[in-house]
Amino acid sequence: MTLWFVFALMTVAAIFAVLLPLGRSGRAQNQGSEVAVYKDQLAEIERDLGTGLIAAPEAEAARVEISRRLLAAAASEPATAPKSSLKWRRAAAVLALAGLPLVAIGVYVPLGSPRLQDFPLAQRERGSGSGMAQSLENLVVQVEQHLEKNPTDGRGWNVLAPVLERLGRFDDAVRAYRNSLTYNGESPERRSDLGEALSAAAGGVVTAEAKVEFERAHALNADDPKANYFLGLAAEQDGRKDDAANIWRTLLAKAPADAPWRPLVQSSLARVGGGTMPALSDETIAASKDMAEGDRNAMVRGMVERLATRLKQNGDDVEGWLRLVRAYLVMGDRGKAVGASADARQAVASDAERLRQLNEGLRTLGLGG
């Protein structure tokens, strides 16, 4: 009887979990949006440049990359959903009240049993282990071990290189792309991929070495989109914005209407004053979001780590602490966010006003207490 009472309490809790959102008229704006983080990072670049923590070329490269991400994130954020009608909410509430218990009973009666013995953890792990996919890191290790024994396997290098780049292992990706060229032969795609990895390893700067690779790709195929984009980026970083605009205009003129990289080129063209971005369709907005999100690359992580290092040296910057906590939340690392909030409180504990400002900011981020 006690067991059924527990089941009843669980059912009531599930019903309230469904009804509670239906009673709300809206949702508070997400304080940890990607747009806010990228704006904070742009401001952080200016502060670091002013204090001499980073050189001007590095600041410009970071500014360009973060601006691109800001444009893509701003374009892809969903609009606030309209309020549900009262009639719809009542119907959903009735459905939840009547449906959840019936569904629970319907599922439990044929499948459950309160007298069923526990399934040992060791057996559960053995049963699920064979069907669980290995982590990406483990797969990479296996491929690397294979390539150590078979270094001339061009197909293996071709598969490994882009994965290493996505994991932020840019120097290893450069080596893999070079081996792919050696054992698979020349192609504009491989040359431009190598150039991209070299640029990523340099923090987003199209170095002279990377530019050579893009020029080689362009010589093999004058319409290679990646090579043309980065050659335009190199021109922009050299201060030749008109040349960059011309390269990107030509690229867009030849591009298919559904090319997934069109939003990136359009935003870059707008950045150098080569024209405003046209209205984006749902498909191009989705493509822009895919390009912007992905995995967090080394540049974003590096900026967050640099901010954390600066705050350890000078912990009086309340706004800096709040930016760091918000960045960790957006990156999905709540543990680091909680740790940073604790460090922040300790750093400003002797200053009542700063501590008050910090606690107010942390409450808006959901870390009050």
Side-chain angles (χ1 to χ4, degrees):
M1 194 67 181
T2 302
L3 181 63
W4 289 106
F5 179 72
V6 172
F7 286 170
L9 288 179
M10 293 172 65
T11 302
V12 171
I15 292 172
F16 274 102
V18 173
L19 294 181
L20 186 59
L22 295 176
R24 294 176 179 170
S25 61
R27 183 176 296 177
Q29 184 179 2
N30 182 5
Q31 297 291 330
S33 69
E34 288 197 34
V35 171
V37 171
Y38 293 146
K39 287 181 178 179
D40 288 341
Q41 291 175 346
L42 285 173
E44 187 66 21
I45 291 171
E46 300 302 327
R47 278 188 289 272
D48 289 349
L49 180 61
T51 57
L53 291 177
I54 59 175
E58 181 184 353
E60 179 60 22
R63 192 182 297 114
V64 168
E65 176 63 16
I66 297 303
S67 296
R68 178 182 73 76
R69 288 172 174 269
L70 176 60
L71 286 170
S76 61
E77 283 191 347
T80 302
K83 294 182 178 179
S84 302
S85 67
L86 180 60
K87 181 179 179 181
W88 184 91
R89 291 201 300 271
R90 286 177 176 173
V94 171
L95 181 62
L97 286 169
L100 280 177
L102 293 176
V103 171
I105 293 173
V107 171
Y108 181 77
V109 168
L111 299 179
S113 172
R115 296 181 178 85
L116 186 65
Q117 293 184 353
D118 184 36
F119 193 32
L121 177 61
Q123 294 183 25
R124 278 182 283 170
E125 289 180 342
R126 284 196 297 269
S128 62
S130 59
M132 185 179 297
Q134 291 178 290
S135 68
L136 180 60
E137 290 78 5
N138 288 337
L139 290 174
V140 168
V141 169
Q142 290 186 15
V143 175
E144 288 177 324
Q145 291 174 347
H146 164 76
L147 290 172
E148 286 180 2
K149 300 175 182 177
N150 305 275
T152 61
D153 182 0
R155 184 171 177 272
W157 291 114
N158 209 42
V159 170
L160 180 63
V163 178
L164 292 173
E165 188 172 3
R166 288 185 64 82
L167 290 174
R169 294 173 54 184
F170 300 123
D171 291 334
D172 292 334
V174 168
R175 172 173 166 267
Y177 278 125
R178 291 193 190 281
N179 285 331
S180 179
L181 277 163
T182 299
Y183 300 116
N184 291 304
E186 287 278 348
S187 79
E189 292 78 12
R190 293 188 188 104
R191 285 293 177 187
S192 58
D193 286 343
L194 174 57
E196 184 181 25
L198 287 166
S199 298
V205 176
V206 183
T207 62
E209 186 180 10
K211 187 177 178 181
V212 168
E213 298 301 331
F214 293 126
E215 289 172 342
R216 289 175 177 172
H218 185 271
L220 293 169
N221 178 11
D223 294 330
D224 182 73
K226 184 178 292 186
N228 281 291
Y229 171 74
F230 276 96
L231 287 173
L233 188 60
E236 181 190 7
Q237 292 175 354
D238 290 341
R240 298 181 288 110
K241 292 188 176 183
D242 290 341
D243 292 342
N246 290 333
I247 292 172
W248 288 332
R249 283 196 198 97
T250 302
L251 179 57
L252 287 173
K254 297 180 179 180
D258 59 348
W261 41 263
R262 282 188 72 96
L264 172 61
V265 181
Q266 289 170 337
S267 65
S268 300
L269 183 59
R271 185 178 63 242
V272 297
T276 57
M277 283 185 63
L280 300 180
S281 66
D282 292 342
E283 291 78 13
T284 55
I285 289 175
S288 176
K289 184 177 181 180
D290 290 341
M291 295 171 69
E293 291 179 347
D295 294 332
R296 302 291 180 188
N297 69 14
M299 176 175 287
V300 176
R301 291 195 300 270
M303 293 191 66
V304 174
E305 291 169 1
R306 187 164 67 243
L307 175 59
T309 300
R310 182 173 67 81
L311 289 171
K312 287 181 181 179
Q313 299 170 352
N314 177 19
D316 293 334
D317 185 359
V318 173
E319 289 300 322
W321 282 113
L322 293 176
R323 285 196 302 274
L324 180 64
V325 172
R326 183 163 52 204
Y328 282 142
L329 289 174
V330 171
M331 293 167 66
D333 198 333
R334 188 173 180 85
K336 285 189 176 180
V338 172
S341 64
D343 292 341
R345 288 192 175 100
Q346 184 177 358
V348 301
S350 59
D351 190 322
E353 178 60 22
R354 283 195 174 94
L355 183 59
R356 182 189 65 79
Q357 295 175 358
L358 175 67
N359 286 330
E360 287 181 357
L362 291 175
R363 276 195 293 273
T364 63
L365 297 175
L367 292 175

